[in-house]
Amino acid sequence: MKPNNSLPSTDNLEIPENLEDNENIEIPTPEEDEDDGFLYEHFRIVADRGQVPTRVDKFLFEHLQHSSRNRIQKAAEAGFIHVNDRPVKSNYKVRPGDAVTLMMNRPRHDDTIEPEDIPLDVVYEDEQLMVINKPAGMVVHPGCGNYHGTLVNAIAWHLRNLPSYDPNDPEVGLVHRIDKDTSGLLVVAKTPEAKSNLGIQFFNKTTHRSYNALVWGNLKDDEGRIEGNIGRDPKDRLRMCVFPTDSEIGKPAVTHYHVLERFGYTTWVECILETGRTHQIRAHMKHIGHPMFSDERYGGTEILRGERSSTYRAFIQNCFKLCPRQVLHARTLGFVHPVTHQQMDFTSELPADIAALLEKWRTYTYGTTRDTFEP
């Protein structure tokens, strides 16, 4: 076998469970590729310590966004799925510590990260780390169809004069991610030691992260706890779905919410994560019947609550235009500094689109003649 030497080594690359954007990799069937006799590494993930024995085709299906289980099985039949550097069949059971690799008989897209002069909102920075306030609309990491203009490209430019920082080295850089259309705080490690320390804090759930969100409906309780496994929706690979906690589908996830303000047909909430699964808040809120406002992927761009009048419909459409993305903001971030061991807590101001949307709802609510709204 011959590795693609134009790419950085992924020998020690682990994808921690708190990453919120999974890889966008389409697995071709063997006949779709030109075969030069070599195999090239396209994707690698190390099963975490709590991994329950799971068939490798199911394991990869849950981690690869644009690949069907049938294609994964065909790739295994062709010898393209390896575990611990050996080809395996689809029924191989992945266990803790297993290194699962997708090999293909063509080189992967050159995903070398190049510095790009893109403005960054740096909230805090020292020799070990930096905290960034990401705007909505910016992709965090290069992926399928998004190879330029990402947050990672911007960070590479910002740190271009730091000799010890290599944007292509997985041992430094982003410690966690948020979705493209989610705004808010992220922490970046400048050194391997800082990334390892912060990664352990995320893994052990000792960090503090809270999000603000506007959801459809009038939540019955002022606070609550949502628990349910998060896994890919079998009907829509770009969307996550909630499964029973006692099932083997998806990964355990817990979200706590607290009502901040009620607007009758929508509710402004604070969400605190115990876990950090892909689309966790968005999927959990839809699961309990309160999709995020203006979240097209999860049905939030439909008028789900309210009146039938043309005036109300026009009001909602104006709200969608004012904030044409899921109303979700990573508001606070707290962790222990990896070197000084001091508690570090950061708060991000609401972006202009969300702030304007909330004012619009306040004006609407205060102007209504209704005293109560149905949940």
Side-chain angles (χ1 to χ4, degrees):
M1 288 179 289
K2 178 182 176 182
N4 185 351
N5 293 325
S6 65
L7 297 171
S9 172
T10 56
D11 290 345
N12 300 312
L13 175 60
E14 288 193 30
I15 301 182
E17 63 178 9
N18 59 299
L19 294 187
E20 299 198 11
D21 291 326
N22 287 336
E23 294 291 330
N24 297 314
I25 295 179
E26 179 73 28
I27 297 182
T29 52
E31 62 270 17
E32 290 175 333
D33 279 334
E34 294 182 2
D35 193 348
D36 61 5
F38 298 118
L39 291 182
Y40 302 83
E41 182 175 299
H42 278 238
F43 178 76
R44 183 182 179 89
I45 182 170
V46 179
D48 62 40
R49 291 177 291 180
Q51 176 65 46
V52 176
T54 305
R55 284 178 56 114
V56 70
D57 55 345
K58 180 181 177 183
F59 179 83
L60 283 175
F61 178 73
E62 292 177 351
H63 288 86
L64 296 177
Q65 194 175 87
H66 292 290
S67 298
S68 68
R69 192 162 177 177
N70 180 259
R71 284 196 167 213
I72 292 172
Q73 290 171 346
K74 288 184 177 180
E77 291 174 5
F80 290 170
I81 306 299
H82 291 200
V83 176
N84 303 326
D85 299 322
R86 294 176 179 274
V88 297
K89 298 300 182 182
S90 298
N91 62 356
Y92 175 89
K93 294 292 183 68
V94 177
R95 292 172 172 80
D98 277 351
V100 182
T101 310
L102 168 63
M103 310 294 291
M104 293 188 194
N105 52 2
R106 59 168 172 77
R108 63 185 285 186
H109 183 280
D110 184 2
D111 57 0
T112 301
I113 296 168
E114 299 292 343
E116 296 180 24
D117 187 5
I118 302 169
L120 279 179
D121 181 3
V122 179
V123 176
Y124 173 84
E125 183 173 11
D126 62 25
E127 293 181 355
Q128 303 295 321
L129 57 87
M130 58 193 296
V131 176
I132 294 170
N133 188 27
K134 186 189 84 70
M138 175 181 277
V139 175
V140 169
H141 197 282
C144 183
N146 296 290
Y147 299 108
H148 301 284
T150 72
L151 180 63
V152 168
N153 296 115
I155 294 169
W157 177 271
H158 183 82
L159 300 177
R160 66 192 183 283
N161 295 323
L162 184 63
S164 61
Y165 186 85
D166 178 0
N168 295 287
D169 182 355
E171 294 189 353
V172 295
L174 287 166
V175 181
H176 60 125
R177 306 181 190 182
I178 56 179
D179 298 331
K180 172 187 174 183
D181 289 325
T182 299
S183 53
L185 298 171
L186 289 161
V187 62
V188 178
K190 293 184 179 182
T191 68
E193 295 76 18
K195 187 168 186 180
S196 176
N197 182 286
L198 291 166
I200 290 172
Q201 292 185 52
F202 274 91
F203 182 82
N204 291 333
K205 304 171 186 174
T206 58
T207 59
H208 176 84
R209 288 180 292 163
S210 71
Y211 292 73
N212 286 161
L214 184 70
V215 300
W216 275 107
N218 192 9
L219 286 163
K220 180 178 179 181
D221 300 316
D222 286 338
E223 57 185 30
R225 182 178 188 269
I226 310 169
E227 183 173 6
N229 291 5
I230 300 283
R232 296 229 170 256
D233 188 335
K235 297 180 181 179
D236 184 349
R237 299 285 292 146
L238 298 180
R239 187 170 63 190
M240 307 304 286
C241 193
V242 179
F243 299 92
T245 56
D246 58 355
S247 72
E248 295 184 358
I249 305 175
K251 290 189 174 184
V254 177
T255 303
H256 299 268
Y257 69 83
H258 172 74
V259 172
L260 299 174
E261 195 170 356
R262 296 180 183 274
F263 302 121
Y265 302 129
T266 58
T267 307
W268 180 236
V269 297
E270 176 187 54
C271 295
I272 297 177
L273 305 180
E274 277 192 26
T275 52
R277 310 305 184 195
T278 303
H279 297 183
Q280 177 172 320
I281 298 173
R282 299 165 68 188
H284 268 172
M285 284 299 177
K286 179 177 176 59
H287 179 66
I288 66 169
H290 296 278
M292 205 160 295
F293 189 84
S294 198
D295 187 353
E296 182 176 8
R297 179 72 61 193
Y298 289 87
T301 52
E302 300 294 327
I303 301 178
L304 301 178
R305 301 287 196 284
E307 303 167 15
R308 297 181 179 180
S309 69
S310 59
T311 301
Y312 179 75
R313 289 198 301 271
F315 165 75
I316 294 298
Q317 293 303 323
N318 286 334
C319 287
F320 289 154
K321 291 177 182 178
L322 190 61
C323 188
R325 49 105 169 187
Q326 69 256 16
V327 186
L328 182 62
H329 180 64
R331 187 70 181 273
T332 68
L333 174 64
F335 53 85
V336 175
H337 194 282
V339 173
T340 68
H341 307 299
Q342 297 294 311
Q343 178 66 33
M344 310 285 287
D345 294 297
F346 302 92
T347 300
S348 168
E349 294 297 322
L350 291 179
D353 58 349
I354 292 181
L357 178 64
L358 293 179
E359 284 303 313
K360 196 170 186 67
W361 270 105
R362 288 186 186 109
T363 301
Y364 174 83
T365 304
Y366 296 156
T368 185
T369 58
R370 291 175 180 264
D371 295 325
T372 59
F373 293 85
E374 292 295 327

